[in-house]
Amino acid sequence: MSDNFLTTLMEFALQKTGAERALAVDTGMNVLGMVNLDDEAMQAKDFNAMDCVRRALNSGEPLITNNAVIDPNQAPITNTQFRNLRLVIVIPVAGFGAVYLDQTISKGVISKETVNRLMTLAADTAGNEAVSMDDLAGYYQTLS
């Protein structure tokens, strides 16, 4: 259906954000592609990517969070440091699925402007099986 589109979008988003890991997931929560992840990582109890994808798909809005506190209402009151804290971004594509990205927080953050441009790109090119990385790059450059 839209496997090629979502995996191409995932690769483009990974390139634009510099994230370390990525997933392309369809609306049925099937993983279509992954970068720097394997089945062991996917099964790890502290890996909450699918919950994040589900939340983004349900809301239709991009999700920007971390891997320690998904719901801000559940945030710890203390100033605890997490060695493996990761920034998480999920870009939903209505009717098709979502792209999940993450990176260690020590690499910095991904700007809201970049997330907004990726959301617009995803919405405007959704489902185009013939879209290439060059097509996405050209269109991305026109977005502000």
Side-chain angles (χ1 to χ4, degrees):
M1 180 158 128
S2 60
D3 296 10
N4 185 57
F5 167 72
L6 284 171
T7 56
T8 302
L9 181 63
M10 173 193 68
E11 292 167 8
F12 182 78
L14 191 65
Q15 181 184 77
K16 277 296 161 196
T17 62
E20 296 168 337
R21 306 186 306 186
L23 292 171
V25 180
D26 68 14
T27 56
M29 300 304 291
N30 300 302
V31 175
L32 305 174
M34 59 180 131
V35 175
N36 294 329
L37 288 164
D38 56 23
D39 290 333
E40 183 178 330
M42 293 289 293
Q43 300 303 321
K45 73 175 188 159
D46 63 342
F47 187 68
N48 55 18
M50 299 310 265
D51 290 335
C52 291
V53 167
R54 191 172 291 107
R55 287 184 56 211
L57 287 174
N58 288 338
S59 74
E61 298 294 325
L63 178 67
I64 303 171
T65 189
N66 60 61
N67 64 327
V69 180
I70 301 304
D71 181 352
N73 295 324
Q74 308 272 324
I77 296 170
T78 62
N79 186 12
T80 308
Q81 282 190 323
F82 297 99
R83 185 174 4 160
N84 296 322
L85 188 61
R86 301 186 78 80
L87 170 69
V88 173
I89 306 278
V90 183
I91 307 291
V93 184
F96 296 96
V99 172
Y100 168 96
L101 306 160
D102 78 17
Q103 68 185 22
T104 55
I105 202 76
S106 62
K107 276 191 75 178
V109 297
I110 297 168
S111 76
K112 180 72 171 152
E113 177 189 350
T114 299
V115 173
N116 288 340
R117 288 173 76 184
L118 288 171
M119 276 295 295
T120 301
L121 178 76
D124 291 352
T125 59
N128 182 349
E129 287 296 315
V131 74
S132 69
M133 292 284 281
D134 289 339
D135 296 333
L136 293 176
Y139 186 62
Y140 184 87
Q141 291 306 316
T142 69
L143 300 173
S144 56

